[in-house]
Amino acid sequence: MKINCFTKKIFCAITFCIIFVSSFYATTWGGVIDDNTKLSTSDFSAFNLYQSNGVYFSINSKLGESGLRLSSECSYKCKANIPFSSIEPSTFTNVVDLSLLKLSGTWALSGGAISMNLGRFSYSDLSGVIFTQNSDGVYVSYDSMKMSAGFYAGYTGLQNSLNVSMIDVYNYDYDFYNLCVGYIPILADFAYKSFLKTNTIALQLSGFLEPKKDFSSKYYATVSLSGPVTTLGNYSVKLVAGTQDFKDFMAYANANMSFFLNQKGIIGCGIEYASGNHAGFSPFTSITYQTAYSPAVSAVKSSVLLPSFSETFVLNDMVLGIYQKIAMPFNEKININGLEIGVNWIYNVLSDVQISCNALFYFDLAATKMNNNEITLKTLLSF
């Protein structure tokens, strides 16, 4: 097994610094052990078993009376991917990561509060579909009753691609730690919280620069409007326009409404749109790999509509979530390609033990043999 020597030295040096600094301040620590077993099948003709076991350890230190706090988390995972009825070999991967190393603080300022996060931490853009992952950088924000503003700048090239899912990847073959593509994300956002008294309107401009020119730089503008629906629930509408190197243009939009069920649960409905090779647009693409719409539809490269429904129920220590999505790609006319159904069940057995089951079913209605089904069993033990 090979491991990047430079990365290993950096990882060890950072770990030593965390332990050294934490020894001088009040420190809390904790950890999690998890077990994940997933069985998936494509059109019931090929089956795949995925097994993952991980250990996560976190340390949090308050740095005196400065208002600063140092937070860190490291992890080790062992993953196995075992295909059945296939000529592809099984793969086994070890993964180590420093997923969190953050210096943070919040201070009162002019009727509001200014916050700062510096280091390695998770950040999500306003749309939730472009960039949602760990990155090394700084985020500074100001928040008051009526408005908020923030600025983020970072670098993704030191992240572990074995633990961070980005669309663009290098074909490294190191075990333990592979470096990600080095995007430089720069994002600025502003929100006005008293639009029409109770609504929030927000704008975010973002750019993801790729200095090596191995991949295209990407730029986005996101507008969001959200607020309550009387006392029954809330709504949100998000519009995204994007471009790759100012040559190809793309668009994404979603609208959602949620309604409360007497503190017993939430029901919701919504619709998504993602552009494809249609009407002068290119297929919508992001930085972080995620299911903005069904994987079975994304391969078609056509524009797509996704009506959806969701139901979430809470009963004592259990949570049950169900969602349904209808995949409707279109060019000149709208087609119905498939139905996606997801079920998520979580049960807190004890204060430090949690079990869950996730099931995903995609029913192909276009006779293209792209039925996809998977079920995942997960156990968490915290200490």
Side-chain angles (χ1 to χ4, degrees):
M1 294 182 292
K2 295 188 293 181
I3 183 171
N4 188 303
C5 186
F6 173 76
T7 304
K8 180 171 65 175
K9 292 179 180 178
I10 293 295
F11 187 85
C12 293
I14 293 175
T15 303
F16 172 78
C17 290
I18 294 172
I19 296 174
F20 179 77
V21 172
S22 299
S23 64
F24 291 95
Y25 299 99
T27 301
T28 60
W29 63 274
V32 173
I33 300 173
D34 74 352
D35 176 90
N36 294 272
T37 303
K38 180 172 75 174
L39 180 65
S40 63
T41 176
S42 176
D43 204 41
F44 296 101
S45 60
F47 292 85
N48 195 85
L49 177 66
Y50 173 86
Q51 177 66 39
S52 173
N53 296 89
V55 179
Y56 308 81
F57 185 75
S58 61
I59 297 177
N60 294 279
S61 298
K62 183 179 180 181
L63 305 183
E65 302 301 323
S66 64
L68 293 173
R69 177 174 292 274
L70 178 65
S71 304
S72 62
E73 181 181 278
C74 59
S75 62
Y76 167 75
K77 285 191 249 183
C78 179
K79 301 191 292 186
N81 190 12
I82 305 172
F84 298 106
S85 304
S86 172
I87 60 173
E88 297 181 5
S90 300
T91 59
F92 300 88
T93 308
N94 295 285
V95 181
V96 294
D97 201 5
L98 183 65
S99 55
L100 176 66
L101 179 59
K102 179 178 69 173
L103 186 66
S104 61
T106 301
W107 303 270
L109 178 67
S110 302
I114 186 169
S115 299
M116 182 271 295
N117 292 288
L118 174 65
R120 173 169 293 189
F121 55 93
S122 179
Y123 179 81
S124 179
D125 75 290
L126 179 62
S127 72
V129 299
I130 299 171
F131 184 76
T132 303
Q133 64 174 73
N134 282 346
S135 182
D136 300 302
V138 58
Y139 180 61
V140 179
S141 63
Y142 175 78
D143 193 12
S144 67
M145 290 291 292
K146 289 190 174 182
M147 58 83 64
S148 66
F151 176 81
Y152 177 84
Y155 181 64
T156 64
L158 297 178
Q159 297 294 315
N160 188 355
S161 64
L162 299 174
N163 208 34
V164 174
S165 297
M166 296 181 64
I167 291 179
D168 298 325
V169 295
Y170 291 129
N171 294 319
Y172 294 135
D173 60 352
Y174 296 116
D175 208 10
F176 291 102
Y177 208 106
N178 286 342
L179 295 178
C180 286
V181 174
Y183 278 104
I184 300 175
I186 301 174
L187 301 94
D189 57 82
F190 175 82
Y192 178 60
K193 302 179 182 180
S194 299
F195 182 70
L196 299 177
K197 293 184 179 181
T198 59
N199 299 270
T200 298
I201 185 169
L203 169 67
Q204 184 175 71
L205 301 177
S206 56
F208 300 87
L209 312 179
E210 208 288 273
K212 289 186 177 181
K213 305 300 181 182
D214 294 331
F215 301 93
S216 300
S217 295
K218 301 174 179 65
Y219 307 88
Y220 303 88
T222 304
V223 178
S224 170
L225 180 64
S226 60
V229 181
T230 64
T231 59
L232 301 177
N234 52 54
Y235 78 94
S236 70
V237 178
K238 297 178 180 179
L239 305 174
V240 181
T243 178
Q244 299 189 66
D245 289 332
F246 297 101
K247 297 177 182 178
D248 300 320
F249 295 90
M250 50 196 173
Y252 173 85
N254 69 43
N256 295 282
M257 295 186 70
S258 300
F259 300 94
F260 309 123
L261 300 176
N262 296 324
Q263 298 182 344
K264 297 291 185 180
I266 300 174
I267 59 173
C269 60
I271 188 167
E272 293 176 83
Y273 160 79
S275 65
N277 289 321
H278 177 65
F281 287 107
S282 297
F284 182 80
T285 186
S286 58
I287 303 299
T288 307
Y289 179 83
Q290 50 201 315
T291 310
Y293 47 94
S294 171
V297 178
S298 63
V300 180
K301 302 298 182 183
S302 61
S303 301
V304 63
L305 289 175
L306 269 176
S308 63
F309 305 90
S310 63
E311 306 82 33
T312 303
F313 306 98
V314 180
L315 178 61
N316 298 326
D317 296 321
M318 289 189 294
V319 178
L320 176 64
I322 306 171
Y323 77 87
Q324 306 85 34
K325 285 186 177 183
I326 303 172
M328 302 171 62
F330 66 92
N331 284 315
E332 300 303 325
K333 64 177 183 178
I334 296 178
N335 303 299
I336 298 179
N337 265 25
L339 171 65
E340 188 172 295
I341 299 176
V343 181
N344 183 22
W345 174 76
I346 301 174
Y347 177 42
N348 294 313
V349 182
L350 299 170
S351 60
D352 53 2
V353 178
Q354 182 186 91
I355 60 174
S356 64
C357 179
N358 303 311
L360 175 65
F361 308 98
Y362 181 80
F363 301 98
D364 175 34
L365 304 179
T368 55
K369 294 184 178 181
M370 296 190 70
N371 294 295
N372 289 285
N373 304 281
E374 64 181 48
I375 184 168
T376 304
L377 301 176
K378 186 173 184 177
T379 303
L380 290 176
L381 172 64
S382 59
F383 58 89

